[in-house]
Amino acid sequence: MVLFSSLTPVIIALMCVCLAALWSSKRKARRDRKVGTEDRVNSKPWADLRVDEAGSFLNDEPEVQHIPYSSQRYSEDEMIRRANEFYQLMNARRSVRFISEEAVPREVIDSIIRTAGTAPSGAHTEPWTFVVVQDPETKHQIREIIEEEEEVNYKKRMGKKWVSDLKQMRTHWIKPYLDTAPYLILVFKQIYGILPTGKKTHYYNEISVSISCGILLAALQNAGLVTVTTTPLNCGPRVRVLLGRPENEKLLLLLPVGYPAKDATVPDFKRKPLDEIMVSV
Amino acid sequence: MVLFSSLTPVIIALMCVCLAALWSSKRKARRDRKVGTEDRVNSKPWADLRVDEAGSFLNDEPEVQHIPYSSQRYSEDEMIRRANEFYQLMNARRSVRFISEEAVPREVIDSIIRTAGTAPSGAHTEPWTFVVVQDPETKHQIREIIEEEEEVNYKKRMGKKWVSDLKQMRTHWIKPYLDTAPYLILVFKQIYGILPTGKKTHYYNEISVSISCGILLAALQNAGLVTVTTTPLNCGPRVRVLLGRPENEKLLLLLPVGYPAKDATVPDFKRKPLDEIMVSV
């Protein structure tokens, strides 16, 4: 007892330390959560930046020479004509979920992937891998993975509102086009590159790969092929392993590609008029 | 003293409680940070999903009718020819940082923005706003904001490796093209929509807007115009306020658009060959 009483001041001091530590640690937790939220709002770029600052990535690009650039120059009338024709072509594009099993020349697909590969990318890292699946067995295995996960998504993960938003597109977890489409193009983003010297930062890799998919969609439409731009929720890891892709690649999009089925339908959507998407200053 | 000693057991009990709380709160902090990391790795879609589950967003889309779909069908030879021609056109595209001040017909720009607006988007939310800046004063104010922030980025935020990666492109924080280009296209992603009934979830908004930018780049190239795809780090909030855009819009990309300058140069990059970007199964 005497021992305790003589220790009491020490004990009280210790308590104060604990309380202080507890309080500051709670504040830190709040701060961490706050940063987390900003990440989601301000989008990916910071992720790369943070990685870079962490110093765990090495880049060893050589200095690159600069060369003169000149481009094809059209008359103003020609520009206007070309711009309007390209708009007409792209405006005819729709996301089509009913794809014919009819064969499509492989040469066309190769050319379209080459075209997607002309996209710009952060620090010219070209952080994309396009896996073109033609093998029926593999297509079916992909379908099984996606339908399993999608059923869970619809029933458990997505919440009523999302499901009701998708209802109008008649999307659900049964996806026959994954078997019928002659090609599945699985688009992977490389979240970092691998060099002999170590890992290489891929700045803005998700934005870069998405931009290349925009060019890919334009190329498909230009060739008279259809697709639907899908983001298989939660299927990435299993599909990556199935296709034997390395850990630095993450599945971003899956595009079933082919001719539209004879009985194909699309939701009767209208697009926003120009004055709803453009602001002039 | 007697009082203290009689209180000692209580004090010790309190200390234990503090220590336990401290420990569990530290663990929670660790857990929060871990989740944050997974967010960055697994990419944005979950952000939307989380928002949706949080139930703070309302969607009230009407059921949409489905209509028959048919597309332009080309012969196989025609498809191959069109695919290769489009590849040649897109492969001639380069990111150009030297832009002529020569005027470009506004009609062409409008048509190109219309074309970008044909992109697919999560649940057809069309979550994009394209601000086309032609006013010299506003262009210069944007340049001032960007050069201020970029200087800080290069000197403080980016870290040596990123700066050295960018060196080969001779990018730095002095960006004359922001004054000289006849148009600046500022691409905003709408992280949510606004309805009379409340907020509307914009699923995959960053991926959707990036895809539309890919189509926009294709349209610019098709018209014989050049740009450079820039992601002004940290400038978003100030530029958003300058342009009077609402809080649900975040700056994603800034594209200076025009004809290339007479003395324009580009880094002598090569693109990866097909077998480095495509895998066939």
Side-chain angles (χ1 to χ4, degrees):
Chain A
M1 207 54 166
V2 175
L3 175 68
F4 272 124
S5 22
S6 63
L7 281 178
T8 305
V10 184
I11 292 167
I12 289 169
L14 274 171
M15 269 182 63
C16 299
V17 172
C18 291
L19 285 167
L22 174 59
W23 185 70
S24 79
S25 130
K26 277 211 182 301
R27 274 192 52 211
K28 183 162 184 348
R30 269 202 306 282
R31 222 177 25 253
D32 291 347
R33 275 194 297 280
K34 194 162 161 303
V35 172
T37 322
E38 283 163 2
D39 284 349
R40 288 199 294 279
V41 174
N42 293 348
S43 92
K44 319 273 297 172
W46 278 104
D48 291 334
L49 182 52
R50 230 180 275 98
V51 166
D52 199 60
E53 283 174 341
S56 62
F57 285 71
L58 303 166
N59 288 33
D60 54 9
E61 299 263 352
E63 254 291 352
V64 171
Q65 256 206 332
H66 277 237
I67 54 175
Y69 172 82
S70 69
S71 67
Q72 176 73 47
R73 174 75 179 249
Y74 308 104
S75 73
E76 293 201 349
D77 290 350
E78 180 72 354
M79 286 174 85
I80 293 167
R81 191 187 58 72
R82 289 180 64 90
N84 290 336
E85 274 180 17
F86 191 67
Y87 165 68
Q88 297 302 336
L89 177 65
M90 290 302 122
N91 196 37
R93 189 202 58 77
R94 294 297 312 267
S95 292
V96 177
R97 290 174 174 77
F98 305 93
I99 298 178
S100 159
E101 56 193 7
E102 205 179 337
V104 169
R106 176 63 194 237
E107 191 177 343
V108 173
I109 302 301
D110 291 354
S111 180
I112 283 165
I113 302 295
R114 253 194 217 95
T115 308
T118 66
S121 55
H124 193 55
T125 43
E126 301 173 279
W128 37 67
T129 304
F130 301 92
V131 181
V132 178
V133 178
Q134 203 170 352
D135 170 54
E137 181 47 40
T138 310
K139 282 194 293 178
H140 192 68
Q141 288 170 314
I142 291 169
R143 177 179 179 176
E144 282 174 345
I145 292 172
I146 289 175
E147 289 185 350
E148 270 174 45
E149 294 290 342
E150 286 285 86
E151 182 168 4
V152 182
N153 292 337
Y154 277 75
K155 289 184 172 170
K156 303 212 175 98
R157 297 187 187 122
M158 290 189 341
K160 287 197 192 62
K161 291 194 203 61
W162 192 349
V163 172
S164 79
D165 294 347
L166 292 176
K167 204 175 283 151
Q168 62 186 315
M169 286 165 215
R170 302 194 190 151
T171 55
H172 42 57
W173 59 85
I174 306 303
K175 303 192 183 294
Y177 57 70
L178 294 172
D179 277 322
T180 60
Y183 301 98
L184 302 182
I185 300 177
L186 293 96
V187 184
F188 288 83
K189 58 177 181 177
Q190 300 166 355
I191 57 174
Y192 56 85
I194 297 166
L195 300 171
T197 48
K199 292 173 172 181
K200 170 183 176 175
T201 312
H202 281 175
Y203 312 103
Y204 306 108
N205 62 78
E206 182 167 302
I207 295 174
S208 304
V209 177
S210 301
I211 287 173
S212 82
C213 286
I215 296 174
L216 189 148
L217 292 177
L220 285 170
Q221 176 64 15
N222 173 73
L225 295 171
V226 297
T227 189
V228 51
T229 310
T230 70
T231 49
L233 198 58
N234 284 25
C235 304
R238 289 175 67 189
V239 171
R240 181 181 69 75
V241 170
L242 173 70
L243 297 174
R245 300 311 305 158
E247 283 193 344
N248 65 319
E249 296 187 2
K250 305 282 173 195
L251 181 63
L252 183 65
L253 296 169
L254 184 153
L255 308 171
V257 170
Y259 300 106
K262 299 243 172 310
D263 59 355
T265 64
V266 293
D268 189 13
F269 283 139
K270 300 288 170 267
R271 290 186 170 120
K272 292 178 180 173
L274 186 60
D275 63 3
E276 281 181 35
I277 65 170
M278 183 176 78
V279 174
S280 301
V281 177
Chain B
M1 206 55 168
V2 174
L3 175 67
F4 271 126
S5 22
S6 65
L7 279 178
T8 305
V10 185
I11 292 168
I12 291 170
L14 274 171
M15 268 181 63
C16 299
V17 173
C18 291
L19 286 165
L22 174 59
W23 186 69
S24 80
S25 130
K26 276 211 182 302
R27 275 189 54 208
K28 185 163 183 345
R30 268 202 304 283
R31 220 173 30 250
D32 291 347
R33 275 196 296 280
K34 194 160 161 305
V35 172
T37 319
E38 283 162 2
D39 284 349
R40 288 199 295 278
V41 175
N42 293 348
S43 93
K44 319 274 297 172
W46 280 103
D48 291 334
L49 182 51
R50 232 179 274 100
V51 165
D52 199 60
E53 283 174 340
S56 62
F57 285 70
L58 303 166
N59 288 33
D60 55 8
E61 299 265 352
E63 255 289 352
V64 171
Q65 256 208 332
H66 276 237
I67 54 174
Y69 172 83
S70 70
S71 66
Q72 176 73 48
R73 173 76 180 247
Y74 308 104
S75 74
E76 292 200 348
D77 290 350
E78 180 73 354
M79 285 174 84
I80 293 168
R81 191 187 58 72
R82 288 180 64 90
N84 291 336
E85 274 180 14
F86 192 66
Y87 165 67
Q88 297 302 336
L89 178 64
M90 290 302 123
N91 195 38
R93 189 203 58 77
R94 295 297 311 269
S95 292
V96 177
R97 290 174 176 76
F98 306 93
I99 297 177
S100 159
E101 57 192 6
E102 205 179 337
V104 169
R106 177 63 196 236
E107 192 176 343
V108 173
I109 303 300
D110 291 355
S111 181
I112 283 165
I113 301 293
R114 255 193 215 95
T115 309
T118 66
S121 55
H124 193 54
T125 44
E126 301 174 278
W128 37 68
T129 304
F130 300 92
V131 181
V132 178
V133 178
Q134 204 170 351
D135 170 54
E137 182 48 40
T138 310
K139 283 194 293 178
H140 192 69
Q141 287 170 314
I142 291 170
R143 177 179 178 174
E144 282 174 345
I145 292 172
I146 288 175
E147 289 186 349
E148 271 174 46
E149 294 290 342
E150 285 285 84
E151 184 168 3
V152 182
N153 293 336
Y154 277 77
K155 290 184 172 170
K156 303 214 174 95
R157 298 186 187 123
M158 290 189 340
K160 286 196 193 62
K161 291 194 202 61
W162 190 353
V163 172
S164 79
D165 293 347
L166 291 177
K167 203 176 287 149
Q168 62 186 313
M169 286 166 216
R170 302 194 190 153
T171 56
H172 41 58
W173 58 86
I174 307 302
K175 304 192 183 292
Y177 57 70
L178 294 173
D179 277 321
T180 59
Y183 300 99
L184 302 181
I185 300 177
L186 293 96
V187 184
F188 288 82
K189 58 178 181 176
Q190 299 166 355
I191 57 174
Y192 56 85
I194 296 166
L195 299 171
T197 48
K199 293 173 172 180
K200 170 184 175 175
T201 311
H202 281 175
Y203 311 103
Y204 305 108
N205 61 77
E206 183 168 300
I207 295 174
S208 303
V209 178
S210 301
I211 288 173
S212 83
C213 287
I215 296 173
L216 189 149
L217 292 177
L220 285 170
Q221 175 65 15
N222 174 72
L225 295 172
V226 297
T227 189
V228 53
T229 310
T230 69
T231 49
L233 197 58
N234 283 25
C235 304
R238 289 175 66 189
V239 172
R240 179 180 71 74
V241 170
L242 173 70
L243 297 173
R245 300 312 304 157
E247 282 193 343
N248 64 320
E249 297 187 2
K250 306 283 175 194
L251 182 62
L252 182 65
L253 297 168
L254 185 154
L255 308 172
V257 169
Y259 299 107
K262 298 240 172 315
D263 58 355
T265 63
V266 293
D268 189 13
F269 284 140
K270 301 286 169 270
R271 289 185 171 123
K272 292 179 181 173
L274 186 60
D275 63 4
E276 281 181 34
I277 65 170
M278 182 176 79
V279 174
S280 301
V281 177

